[in-house]
Amino acid sequence: MSTDRIFDNTEIAFSLKNDSELERAYFLFKMISIQPLVRIGTAATNFAIKANLPIEGLIRSTVFDHFCGGVNEEDCLPVIDKMYLKGVSSVLDYSVEGKESEKEFDSATNTILKIIDFAKDIDAIPIAVFKPTGFGRLDLYEKIGSREALTKKEQEEWANVVNRFDVVCKKAKDNDVAVLIDAEESWMQGAADELVTKMMQKYNTEKPIVYNTLQMYRHDRLTFLENEHQKAKKGNYFLGYKLVRGAYMEKENDRADEKGYKSPICINKEATDENFDKALLYMIENLDCMSLFAGTHNENSSYLLMQLMASNNLKNNDSRIWFGQLYGMSDHISFNLADKGYNVAKYIPFGPVKDVMPYLIRRAEENTSVAGQTGRELSLLTKEKKRRKTL
Ligand SMILES: Cc1cc2nc3c(=O)[nH]c(=O)nc-3n(C[C@H](O)[C@H](O)[C@H](O)COP(=O)(O)OP(=O)(O)OC[C@H]3O[C@@H](n4cnc5c(N)ncnc54)[C@H](O)[C@@H]3O)c2cc1C
């Protein structure tokens, strides 16, 4: 099977966008490509939100509508239906961040439970997702990870976190909806990893339902994967992993510098790429007891995974392998993969506009700072605009 440059097909990539949507996407990526504009825009938006200035309408009609499905799950349905017509599934991503109270953690848990309920009847939503810090305070994860003694109140808080994980993973298993658990900062991830492993031991007894996330920009993750594999073989349960490169690189490096420890991040981009691709290979070679969700916008890694599947005689739609991209980005990868029958899902973030701002700012910064990413989006959009003009 040939995997020749299928991502170059812009007709398939943008088949869901009419001409004016294509123009809007072009305009947006053009703006995002201007670094000073993103810096000033981010600061001005943060200020305006804090000052309660009426800018939600402006955010909605620009970045929000491009990168998010809506303010609640029902809002996202038209997008979900439209994408599914082209074979692309959805992962509803409740993207509210930075909450700190027990009430807010309970409310996030209820939202995820509702999404699983929603997903069990909709083929277009095969997978759910949540963030560990949506269910508990980052500082608490950090304290657990560093084995510090907890106060009585913190012990109660942690018991609530464990319970929130358990209720969600159980519901996922009962309804046969896989659940991805995002990875975050390394200083909280140790506690989250231990908890997710417990969930896998409990709920992945017949097949992978609970998936942890491995950030392959961390130089220790391949060894972690190998160790978890040995544990799973002994314990007789399945592993599920979402592989990503990692979204908190600057924060990680800055903290390591500030506190004087060795950064957990690979020495350069090439080392991260190599690490990511090695993990792909490792997982493909061990599919008898693991499933893989490759969350990436990197064309080379996506082509590599396609080649690995072909050379291992796996069907394009093998149920143990998913490709994933974020809504509003890399449609050329998502829609061309789906066109060839691969399992593809896009994260569709949703939530009240001001609460999803940290997510949107990460996307704007990522598209500004990641060399080539915005340029690639712009050149694909330009190519498609030209193609349509010649029709
Ligand atoms: C579906 C999906 C789910 C995701 N879930 C998570 C998640 O749970 N947790 C999370 O942290 N991120 C998550 N991400 C974001 C992801 O980690 C990346 O930030 C993003 O996808 C860009 O990486 P890439 O593989 O698409 O490719 P590329 O654009 O090729 O790679 C960019 C990435 O390479 C790494 N990198 C860049 N420069 C260097 C350098 N100098 N040294 C070392 N490494 C470098 C960084 O991780 C950077 O983000 C998710 C992404 C997707 C698509």
Side-chain angles (χ1 to χ4, degrees):
M1 190 214 65
S2 163
T3 54
D4 289 344
R5 310 263 356 133
I6 62 162
F7 303 145
D8 292 347
N9 187 326
T10 58
E11 183 178 358
I12 291 175
F14 299 115
S15 53
L16 287 183
K17 285 202 188 323
N18 62 31
D19 290 350
S20 66
E21 286 164 338
L22 208 62
E23 285 298 341
R24 194 185 71 176
Y26 183 82
F27 175 75
L28 188 76
F29 278 108
K30 199 84 198 159
M31 294 294 112
I32 286 177
S33 70
I34 306 169
Q35 255 193 35
L37 197 70
V38 170
R39 261 204 315 274
I40 296 165
T42 303
T45 309
N46 280 336
F47 170 78
I49 284 177
K50 279 194 191 115
N52 274 327
L53 297 178
I55 59 151
E56 282 203 13
L58 180 65
I59 299 173
R60 258 212 98 141
S61 59
T62 52
V63 272
F64 185 91
D65 277 354
H66 184 86
F67 289 111
C68 300
V71 295
N72 57 43
E73 53 277 51
E74 280 85 12
D75 265 3
C76 302
L77 275 176
V79 166
I80 292 170
D81 288 344
K82 237 167 94 172
M83 293 206 305
Y84 200 55
L85 286 177
K86 302 287 175 188
V88 175
S89 299
S90 295
V91 181
L92 274 172
D93 179 17
Y94 181 58
S95 297
V96 171
E97 296 182 19
K99 302 291 178 195
E100 291 274 298
S101 75
E102 291 299 293
K103 201 168 146 221
E104 287 162 333
F105 297 141
D106 282 337
S107 154
T109 309
N110 288 333
T111 303
I112 311 299
L113 291 172
K114 196 166 149 206
I115 291 172
I116 296 174
D117 256 334
F118 203 63
K120 74 175 195 289
D121 302 320
I122 304 180
D123 290 342
I125 315 176
I127 303 168
V129 65
F130 70 88
K131 266 195 161 29
T133 56
F135 288 2
R137 287 187 299 113
L138 189 143
D139 293 353
L140 185 63
Y141 285 99
E142 186 180 0
K143 206 163 173 186
I144 299 269
S146 63
R147 309 277 180 242
E148 271 180 67
L150 301 185
T151 63
K152 184 127 197 314
K153 186 164 169 283
E154 286 169 339
Q155 285 172 17
E156 278 165 23
E157 265 188 85
W158 185 246
N160 289 340
V161 175
V162 174
N163 188 48
R164 291 182 190 114
F165 270 69
D166 196 63
V167 169
V168 166
C169 294
K170 179 172 189 315
K171 175 117 186 161
K173 176 158 181 170
D174 290 347
N175 292 286
D176 200 16
V177 175
V179 61
L180 308 174
I181 302 174
D182 282 349
E184 302 176 75
E185 291 86 347
S186 59
W187 52 98
M188 59 69 63
Q189 194 59 43
D193 286 340
E194 280 180 24
L195 190 46
V196 181
T197 297
K198 282 191 186 131
M199 296 298 125
M200 289 202 208
Q201 285 163 343
K202 192 163 173 189
Y203 296 112
N204 288 2
T205 46
E206 284 133 46
K207 64 176 193 179
I209 285 284
V210 178
Y211 286 61
N212 203 355
T213 299
L214 299 177
Q215 295 158 309
M216 300 312 297
Y217 65 8
R218 284 183 57 171
H219 45 69
D220 63 353
R221 291 295 89 175
L222 206 51
T223 310
F224 175 84
L225 170 61
E226 287 161 5
N227 291 341
E228 290 296 301
H229 183 200
Q230 294 313 317
K231 250 196 254 172
K233 275 204 284 200
K234 269 197 209 125
N236 217 9
Y237 58 91
F238 291 86
L239 293 172
Y241 282 113
K242 165 162 59 105
L243 292 185
V244 299
R245 281 182 169 72
Y248 305 88
M249 183 176 73
E250 273 136 40
K251 216 171 166 184
E252 292 281 355
N253 285 333
D254 289 350
R255 186 174 189 269
D257 263 359
E258 202 184 292
K259 297 197 178 253
Y261 61 86
K262 183 173 181 264
S263 170
I265 307 299
C266 292
I267 43 161
N268 54 32
K269 172 76 164 64
E270 290 67 36
T272 296
D273 290 346
E274 198 188 322
N275 217 22
F276 186 95
D277 292 348
K278 276 187 181 158
L280 282 181
L281 179 63
Y282 187 90
M283 292 195 68
I284 289 292
E285 284 175 346
N286 291 288
L287 280 179
D288 56 320
C289 64
M290 53 181 83
S291 290
L292 156 69
F293 185 103
T296 183
H297 298 151
N298 183 296
E299 289 183 9
N300 290 340
S301 294
S302 306
Y303 281 129
L304 174 67
L305 180 52
M306 292 160 69
Q307 280 154 9
L308 288 172
M309 289 172 71
S311 58
N312 283 279
N313 295 318
L314 298 168
K315 285 201 192 125
N316 288 4
N317 67 350
D318 189 296
S319 63
R320 295 165 295 182
I321 302 164
W322 281 83
F323 293 76
Q325 289 78 41
L326 306 179
Y327 182 65
M329 288 169 76
S330 296
D331 283 349
H332 68 302
I333 297 183
S334 315
F335 287 88
N336 280 303
L337 281 170
D339 185 66
K340 296 276 180 280
Y342 292 93
N343 297 316
V344 187
K346 282 184 101 87
Y347 264 36
I348 306 198
F350 72 93
V353 176
K354 69 176 180 3
D355 292 333
V356 301
M357 277 318 291
Y359 175 87
L360 289 174
I361 289 169
R362 267 210 306 285
R363 292 295 76 82
E365 286 174 350
E366 178 177 273
N367 278 286
T368 302
S369 66
V370 175
Q373 190 131 312
T374 304
R376 189 177 74 187
E377 294 284 357
L378 281 171
S379 76
L380 288 161
L381 288 160
T382 307
K383 184 175 165 197
E384 178 58 8
K385 285 204 299 177
K386 275 198 194 132
R387 191 196 66 81
R388 289 189 190 182
K389 273 199 191 121
T390 58
L391 291 180

